[in-house]
Amino acid sequence: MDNENHFDVVVIGGGPMGLSTAYHLSKRKAKTLVLEQFTFINQLGSSAGISRQFRIPYPDEYMVKLVKQSIPYWDELQSLTPVPLMDKVGTLWFGDPDVHSTEGNIRQAELALQAQDVAYSKVSAAELESKYQFKDLPSTYTGLFQAQGASIDLKATQQTLYNWNRKSSFVTMKEEAPVTKIEYRQQQFEITTPVGQFTARKLVLVPGPYADAVFKLLNFQVAATYWNMASAFYKKTDPRIQYPTWFVFQNPVGNNGNQFYGFPEVSWNYPGYIRVASDFVISPLNSPEQRTLIPNPEELGYTAAWVKHHMRGLDPVPHYTSTCLVALSKIANKELIVDFAPAHVPGHKDIVIYATGWAGKFVPLLGKILADLSLDGHTPYDISHFATGIKYFTQLK
Ligand code: BEZ
C-alpha cells in the first residue's frame, strides 16, 4: 500500500465530533483521515435540525464543569469564522420542581450550578409568564435562568471545522466512504471502504447513531436504544416575541412524555419561525435501520398542543418538520461514553470511541479530548464518568 494511504489516525464518522477531532489532531500535526459514510454536514445523524442548545445547567456537577470547560474551545472556534456560532439568549429551565426526568431536576441543577460558582437567577411562576412569555402554567412551576445559555448554529459549527480541515495539510476527508472491514495486522489497522483501502496506527470511532455498524466490524456492540426525535417550527404571529432556549420539566401523561424544549428565533434557521421539540419518543427503536425521516405525528401533535396552550405569539401549526436520530445508552440514562475499545479487540488501546448521548454543546471540547486520548492515551479533562465502555460494550464473538 502506498504511503499516501497511510495515516497516523483514521477518524470514522464525519459528523461534528469527527470534524472536531480532526481539527484537534491537525493542530497536533497528526496525519489524519476522516471517513464519512454519507456526505459531510448531512441531516441524517444526531446533528440534524441545525440548532442545538448550549446550556450550563445539569443535575450533575461534573457535567456543569465540563460545559464550563468547553467555553474556551467554543471561543477558539468562533475566532476562525465571522459567522456567529451561537446566539447567546440564555437558558430557561422551568416546570415542576419535583420532577426527576430523563434530563434531570431543576433543584438539583441549581445545586450543581452553585457548587460550580455559575451565576443564575431564580424565576417565579409569575415571571415565567410576565417576563418569558409562557402562559397558563401551573402556579407550582418554578424556573432558573442562566445567561450564558445559547442556541448553537451546529451547521455553521460543522462548516467552520470542515473549512479548517480542508485547508489543513494534515487532514484528508472522504465522503460516501462507509467502512466495510477493519483488520489489525502488524500493529496497524487496515480499513476497507468503497473509495479505497487505508492503514493507520490509530482509530477514532465517532459514528453517532450508526455506532454498531462500525463496532460490529471489531466484534463488539453498544447497549443503546435509538430515539428518532421529532421537531417543528412555529410561525411567529407577534414579531416582538422572543424566547430564550428553554426546557420544561413535567411528569409524563399516558404515552405523552410531556417534556418539551425550544429555541429563540434565529437568523440561520427559518427566520420568522421558532423551533419547539419534544424530548421524548413514543416508540424507541432497536436499531437505526428502523428509522424513517417522517416525524411521529403524535409527538408533533403533543408539541403543537403545548405550543398552543402555553406559548404566546406563535401560530400552533407545525411547519418545517424534521427528525434527528440519537443513540442513548440503555444502561445509564443519557450518559456519554468516551473510552477505548473493549480489551478483546486487537489494538484496543489505539481505538478511541465516543458513543451515545447528546453532545452538541461539547463538540469543540470533545474533539480535543478524543485527539488527546488518541495521541497521548490520556486527557487532562475528567472523563471518569464517561470511561465506562467496559460496562456498555458487549463482545460479539
Ligand atoms: C441537551 O442540552 O442536552 C438537550 C436539550 C434538549 C433536549 C435534549 C437534550
Side-chain angles (χ1 to χ4, degrees):
M1 189 164 301
D2 63 15
N3 201 31
E4 94 182 20
N5 284 337
H6 179 75
F7 295 86
D8 297 320
V9 186
V10 168
V11 177
I12 301 180
M17 225 49 94
L19 294 174
S20 176
T21 306
Y23 164 76
H24 286 285
L25 288 168
S26 76
K27 287 179 55 187
R28 302 270 311 263
K29 302 193 181 348
K31 188 181 170 197
T32 301
L33 170 66
V34 185
L35 295 172
E36 163 56 40
Q37 64 169 332
F38 304 123
T39 52
F40 288 103
I41 319 184
N42 67 59
Q43 285 290 298
L44 296 170
S46 309
S47 51
I50 299 178
S51 301
R52 281 295 175 283
Q53 291 195 358
F54 181 85
R55 47 116 175 175
I56 302 186
Y58 266 96
D60 305 296
E61 198 188 328
Y62 66 87
M63 292 300 274
V64 172
K65 186 171 172 196
L66 203 70
V67 189
K68 280 169 63 185
Q69 288 173 324
S70 78
I71 293 172
Y73 292 98
W74 277 108
D75 292 344
E76 177 183 319
L77 206 56
Q78 183 62 77
S79 74
L80 303 180
T81 175
V83 179
L85 301 181
M86 286 198 194
D87 187 3
K88 291 189 185 158
V89 286
T91 292
L92 178 67
W93 266 29
F94 70 100
D96 181 339
D98 293 326
V99 164
H100 288 257
S101 78
T102 52
E103 235 47 74
N105 165 266
I106 298 173
R107 284 200 193 100
Q108 275 178 1
E110 278 197 67
L111 293 177
L113 291 175
Q114 286 165 8
Q116 280 291 314
D117 273 330
V118 177
Y120 69 94
S121 47
K122 280 180 176 283
V123 180
S124 67
E127 283 169 329
L128 288 171
E129 306 205 354
S130 60
K131 200 165 167 187
Y132 294 105
Q133 322 287 345
F134 292 96
K135 63 178 183 187
D136 297 330
L137 296 172
S139 60
T140 50
Y141 278 18
T142 61
L144 67 85
F145 180 79
Q146 206 292 319
Q148 286 152 285
S151 183
I152 302 171
D153 183 342
L154 202 57
K155 189 173 177 201
T157 302
Q158 291 190 77
Q159 193 67 55
T160 305
L161 292 163
Y162 178 85
N163 292 349
W164 168 281
N165 289 330
R166 257 193 80 164
K167 283 198 199 126
S168 167
S169 57
F170 293 99
V171 182
T172 304
M173 293 186 288
K174 294 200 182 281
E175 54 189 7
E176 299 189 337
V179 175
T180 53
K181 196 156 141 199
I182 304 174
E183 286 180 309
Y184 188 64
R185 276 199 208 106
Q186 291 168 349
Q187 309 221 317
Q188 64 175 16
F189 298 96
E190 293 177 10
I191 302 126
T192 306
T193 77
V195 300
Q197 265 211 318
F198 310 96
T199 56
R201 283 273 303 111
K202 307 205 176 217
L203 295 180
V204 177
L205 311 183
V206 276
Y210 305 98
D212 273 346
V214 175
F215 297 169
K216 79 167 188 236
L217 304 174
L218 295 163
N219 294 319
F220 70 99
Q221 64 184 17
V222 62
T225 180
Y226 298 83
W227 284 19
N228 195 29
M229 297 176 74
S231 146
F233 285 78
Y234 295 87
K235 193 169 175 39
K236 281 171 66 167
T237 52
D238 177 350
R240 291 162 310 170
I241 214 96
Q242 182 62 310
Y243 289 90
T245 58
W246 57 269
F247 193 100
V248 63
F249 292 80
Q250 309 179 113
N251 277 317
V253 181
N255 73 355
N256 176 5
N258 213 12
Q259 302 209 114
F260 303 97
Y261 63 102
F263 296 82
E265 178 189 16
V266 286
S267 58
W268 65 75
N269 211 2
Y270 302 116
Y273 291 75
I274 277 187
R275 182 171 168 218
V276 184
S278 47
D279 185 39
F280 62 90
V281 291
I282 292 171
S283 308
L285 308 177
N286 295 320
S287 108
E289 282 89 61
Q290 297 170 328
R291 183 259 180 108
T292 70
L293 293 173
I294 301 162
N296 179 300
E298 258 190 294
E299 292 162 14
L300 284 181
Y302 288 134
T303 311
W306 205 87
V307 169
K308 179 174 178 188
H309 293 126
H310 299 298
M311 294 184 76
R312 289 204 174 85
L314 300 181
D315 173 7
V317 177
H319 290 280
Y320 308 118
T321 62
S322 66
T323 59
C324 147
L325 185 66
V326 63
L328 297 172
S329 165
K330 265 188 183 165
I331 299 172
N333 186 19
K334 295 177 173 172
E335 197 68 282
L336 318 182
I337 300 172
V338 181
D339 208 347
F340 295 94
H344 74 273
V345 177
H348 67 102
K349 287 197 175 132
D350 288 321
I351 306 173
V352 174
I353 296 170
Y354 159 62
T356 74
W358 277 284
K361 63 184 79 58
F362 297 118
V363 163
L365 172 61
L366 259 185
K368 158 85 176 131
I369 289 173
L370 296 170
D372 285 348
L373 291 174
S374 181
L375 298 182
D376 307 329
H378 53 85
T379 174
Y381 296 94
D382 177 11
I383 54 158
S384 54
H385 297 91
F386 312 137
T388 44
I390 192 150
K391 279 194 263 167
Y392 303 157
F393 296 144
T394 49
Q395 187 167 348
L396 283 177
K397 59 179 181 193

